[in-house]
Amino acid sequence: MCGITGWIAYDNDLTTQRPTVEAMTETMACRGPDAAGIWLGAHAALGHRRLAVIDIDGGKQPMPVDHDGRTVLVTTYSGEVYNYRELRAELERAGHSFRTSSDTEVVLHAYLEWGEAFADRLNGMYAFALWDPRTEELLLVRDRMGIKPLYYHPTPDGVLFGSEPKAILAHPDVRPVVDAEGLAELITFTKTPGHAVYKGMHEVRPGHLVRVRRGGLTVRRYWALEAREHTDDRATTVAHIRALLDDIVTRQLIADVPLCTLLSGGLDSSAITALSAKALAEAGRGPVRSFAVDFTGYTENFRPDDLRGTPDGPYAHALAAHVGSDHHDIVLDTAALMDPGHRAAVLAARDLPNGFGDGDTSLYLLFKAVREQSTVALSGESADEVFGGYRWFHDPAAVHADTFPWIAAGLSGRFAGGTAVREALLDAGLLAKLDLPGYENRRYREALAEVPYLDGDTGHQRRMREISYLHLTRFVQILLDRKDRASMAVGLEVRVPFCDHRLVDYVFNTPWSLKTFDGREKSLLRAATRDVLPDVVADRVKSPYPSTQDPRYGEALRAELRALAADHDAPVRPFLDPGTLAEVTADGATQDIRPGAELALGMNAWLRTTGTTLEV
């Protein structure tokens, strides 16, 4: 996994712009700690920071293809193509020769052989740029599910691009500005495809290509969820899902560096860990290494709520014992979660204060600890979106609400460890301008208009197809972006087997009645993997990523809010409600402040450190 950036300027000689390109590339150092490279042409400059995973010696970038002494194609590439070996063999039969064993070189030759249609053949997670010096055209490509991020900023004579906004913002001609729509996007739990929050900036949509020419840029979709008739019976469906999972996991265990799994003890991560253990054992590669996050005293003092009914620890240990994994618990205390350096690192990784509070900090610290022993980790992320695992999938009120179901379920606060809304401390006048309910409604209508249907989709089946589509194209993006930023901040590559497009497409078209055939969530996944799981794990009720229950964490947040309230130069002060701020920071105040405090404190640090201007 890597960090990429670049600059296309048709009215400029970019061979003289090395310092600017170096500055843009350096912002991606966290994503690629192993090597750096720059390629300069008259109108194209490509930067790359490398995390070496496959072909350690031969996979250096930016990588060109030369013919008769001239460069015919060059790429800066981030990601992994899991079927690169099959593609390489096919390309060799077509007459292509290779000088490395990397998947990057396979992507280059695939484009030379098949043109834009090459994207249809790729299986993996990737975001990359291809520059053709012959036609002076750039192609930006992002994987089908949007696992790997890719941003771009059109300019009067070309485009700037990067794995993260910070690469683009490092260019001297780009100012960090967020307008009212961008702020609404930041605050709400909508994750609009293509929206980058920063004014003038865009995100390449999942499954899309962006082509840049002298005359401007064009966007084309090469993959989307489609509605197809599902004719397999239950047994065939379960068997097919298992066959897909076996193939996916085996492919994603390919690496020339140490790898591991992330294990929470839930069904999803346990299935990936158990299947990985099985595949590694069959290949004679020893036990799987697994990691879990925990908090000091969390299991002993756990208090169930309507989101999390059980602590993870006992279940993670049960699975680890069952498959014989080399397991490690990463135990965090409140001091680590509140450490200013750790919180600053999370904000720098995120580029925006739109996270989950201690959930983001703990994820960052987990990945930092994992990186000391492994370079690649397999995760159970996205199984809930694919198989229907969240509780609101099964809550009639949330399902039939006229909005995104996770918003109807009040998730925005609870994911940050509280029950209040994230915007609780914002100024009433600002909220009136932003019209967050109106913004959410507009984005919800846009999403519904995209949903593909079959003629026979009626009633509950039709609504559940909509619910699945909303999660697979919106909600999953929130979590994939979070996981990518936290992992790449420490140079850890996290792979997400449940995002394989073959599995996503197959399960999306499976009727809802079949997805819940045993009256529970994720029936198909449980049935497909039960033979490799202990019953206590297979039968466990869904519990989301943990959040600390230590009351000292909330007290520390309140103390930080008091300091902010006393700082009249705090850049976020004009956007907060003074009365509410005084009320929640008064002596003896007991209101739930975690979601609102996390947003307010995060915004303050963001505005102060990045110089972002809010045009609201």
Side-chain angles (χ1 to χ4, degrees):
M1 201 54 55
C2 306
I4 69 172
T5 189
W7 180 11
I8 306 301
Y10 292 108
D11 298 336
N12 203 337
D13 179 4
L14 295 185
T15 61
T16 67
Q17 298 295 326
R18 177 175 286 272
T20 295
V21 180
E22 286 179 341
M24 295 170 65
T25 303
E26 186 58 25
T27 66
M28 297 291 95
C30 59
R31 299 184 71 93
D34 296 331
I38 289 175
W39 185 93
L40 296 177
H43 302 302
L46 307 181
H48 189 268
R49 290 290 314 207
R50 187 181 185 215
L51 176 64
V53 172
I54 293 176
D55 191 3
I56 307 301
D57 296 325
K60 296 178 181 178
Q61 296 188 48
M63 183 180 289
V65 174
D66 297 324
H67 183 69
D68 291 337
R70 67 189 183 105
T71 298
V72 298
L73 193 65
V74 61
T75 189
T76 181
Y77 168 92
S78 169
E80 305 290 349
V81 171
Y82 301 123
N83 63 333
Y84 77 99
R85 290 173 172 172
E86 297 97 312
L87 292 175
R88 178 181 174 127
E90 186 175 355
L91 288 164
E92 286 176 333
R93 290 193 294 270
H96 293 259
S97 59
F98 295 84
R99 58 182 178 81
T100 76
S101 57
S102 71
D103 57 332
T104 304
E105 191 178 13
V106 171
V107 169
L108 282 162
H109 285 269
Y111 178 74
L112 290 172
E113 179 69 21
W114 297 304
E116 278 191 14
F118 83 127
D120 298 327
R121 297 171 175 261
L122 305 181
N123 177 305
M125 56 177 190
Y126 44 82
F128 56 87
L130 293 166
W131 171 252
D132 187 334
R134 301 166 299 177
T135 61
E136 295 190 328
E137 293 181 1
L138 177 80
L139 188 68
L140 300 176
V141 186
R142 192 173 182 207
D143 65 68
R144 293 169 178 83
M145 289 296 291
I147 305 166
K148 291 290 103 183
L150 184 55
Y151 295 83
Y152 66 100
H153 187 295
T155 64
D157 71 330
V159 73
L160 300 161
F161 66 87
S163 293
E164 299 176 9
K166 61 175 64 71
I168 296 169
L169 295 173
H171 192 282
D173 292 342
V174 180
R175 291 175 53 244
V177 176
V178 174
D179 59 18
E181 181 177 286
L183 190 55
E185 176 71 17
L186 187 155
I187 296 171
T188 59
F189 263 54
T190 51
K191 189 56 179 172
T192 306
H195 205 303
V197 177
Y198 286 104
K199 192 174 181 179
M201 195 181 298
H202 309 273
E203 192 172 17
V204 179
R205 292 187 61 158
H208 281 66
L209 312 167
V210 176
R211 183 171 289 279
V212 182
R213 301 180 174 94
R214 281 185 177 271
L217 60 82
T218 56
V219 178
R220 182 178 75 82
R221 186 180 70 189
Y222 70 88
W223 183 84
L225 287 168
E226 297 178 356
R228 282 188 291 275
E229 195 73 38
H230 185 86
T231 58
D232 293 343
D233 61 18
R234 184 199 300 176
T236 304
T237 299
V238 170
H240 185 65
I241 288 171
R242 175 55 178 270
L244 280 172
L245 287 172
D246 283 337
D247 178 70
I248 293 164
V249 168
T250 299
R251 289 179 184 276
Q252 296 196 18
L253 289 172
I254 295 173
D256 295 331
V257 292
L259 56 79
C260 65
T261 67
L262 305 175
L263 175 61
S264 71
L267 175 62
D268 316 338
S269 65
S270 296
I272 295 301
T273 300
L275 292 175
S276 296
K278 180 173 178 291
L280 290 172
E282 291 172 352
R285 293 171 59 188
V288 65
R289 180 183 293 157
S290 58
F291 291 88
V293 68
D294 202 354
F295 306 108
T296 303
Y298 185 76
T299 299
E300 299 85 345
N301 303 299
F302 181 79
R303 301 183 305 276
D305 57 32
D306 62 343
L307 197 63
R308 300 172 180 90
T310 52
D312 287 344
Y315 297 91
H317 294 162
L319 189 282
H322 185 76
V323 303
S325 77
D326 177 12
H327 183 72
H328 307 263
D329 288 327
I330 307 302
V331 183
L332 307 174
D333 59 22
T334 295
L337 296 175
M338 288 302 299
D339 182 278
H342 296 156
R343 291 162 68 86
V346 170
L347 178 61
R350 282 285 217 163
D351 283 314
L352 295 166
N354 59 347
F356 298 146
D358 74 284
D360 277 351
T361 310
S362 65
L363 191 66
Y364 165 79
L365 292 172
L366 167 65
F367 289 159
K368 187 177 181 181
V370 170
R371 183 63 175 88
E372 294 176 358
Q373 301 185 55
S374 294
T375 307
V376 173
L378 272 65
S379 165
E381 198 77 83
S382 308
D384 290 303
E385 290 80 6
V386 174
F387 290 97
Y390 295 118
R391 293 187 182 186
W392 50 86
F393 271 92
H394 311 274
D395 175 4
V399 166
H400 297 293
D402 196 23
T403 187
F404 295 104
W406 55 90
I407 291 177
L411 183 70
S412 64
R414 291 190 290 169
F415 244 54
T419 56
V421 295
R422 282 154 50 96
E423 62 270 23
L425 299 180
L426 297 183
D427 177 72
L430 173 64
L431 291 174
K433 287 182 183 178
L434 298 181
D435 183 20
L436 300 182
Y439 184 81
E440 291 170 349
N441 182 64
R442 178 156 56 94
R443 295 310 190 191
Y444 174 66
R445 302 295 165 198
E446 291 172 356
L448 278 187
E450 299 173 4
V451 180
Y453 302 100
L454 292 175
D455 291 340
D457 285 339
T458 59
H460 193 58
Q461 167 59 26
R462 180 182 177 90
R463 180 55 178 165
M464 295 315 296
R465 184 182 289 278
E466 293 174 347
I467 296 295
S468 296
Y469 186 89
L470 295 175
H471 281 81
L472 291 169
T473 61
R474 268 69 177 177
F475 190 75
V476 76
Q477 287 296 304
I478 298 173
L479 302 184
L480 289 175
D481 187 64
R482 168 179 178 257
K483 187 148 284 184
D484 172 85
R485 299 303 186 86
S487 61
M488 295 311 296
V490 297
L492 176 71
E493 175 179 302
V494 173
R495 298 175 177 177
V496 279
F498 289 115
C499 274
D500 186 291
H501 70 277
R502 298 168 298 165
L503 178 69
V504 172
D505 182 81
Y506 183 78
V507 180
F508 175 68
N509 283 293
T510 303
W512 183 249
S513 58
L514 196 50
K515 292 178 185 176
T516 55
F517 70 82
D518 62 359
R520 293 196 55 191
E521 79 286 354
K522 291 184 286 195
S523 308
L524 291 173
L525 177 59
R526 184 176 295 103
T529 58
R530 181 177 280 278
D531 66 302
V532 295
L533 301 174
D535 287 342
V536 67
V537 171
D539 294 328
R540 185 188 181 194
V541 174
K542 165 70 182 177
S543 183
Y545 183 86
S547 178
T548 181
Q549 295 183 338
D550 186 344
R552 291 174 295 179
Y553 183 80
E555 293 165 5
L557 283 179
R558 202 178 301 274
E560 285 200 8
L561 270 186
R562 290 193 182 101
L564 187 153
D567 181 4
H568 295 286
D569 295 326
V572 79
R573 283 288 295 272
F575 307 102
L576 301 181
D577 183 89
T580 304
L581 186 60
E583 181 182 344
V584 301
T585 57
D587 291 342
T590 59
Q591 301 99 315
D592 173 26
I593 63 162
R594 278 180 64 170
E598 299 281 15
L599 179 64
L601 294 169
M603 285 182 63
N604 195 59
W606 169 58
L607 295 172
R608 177 164 279 158
T609 59
T610 65
T612 297
T613 299
L614 295 184
E615 293 184 347
V616 294

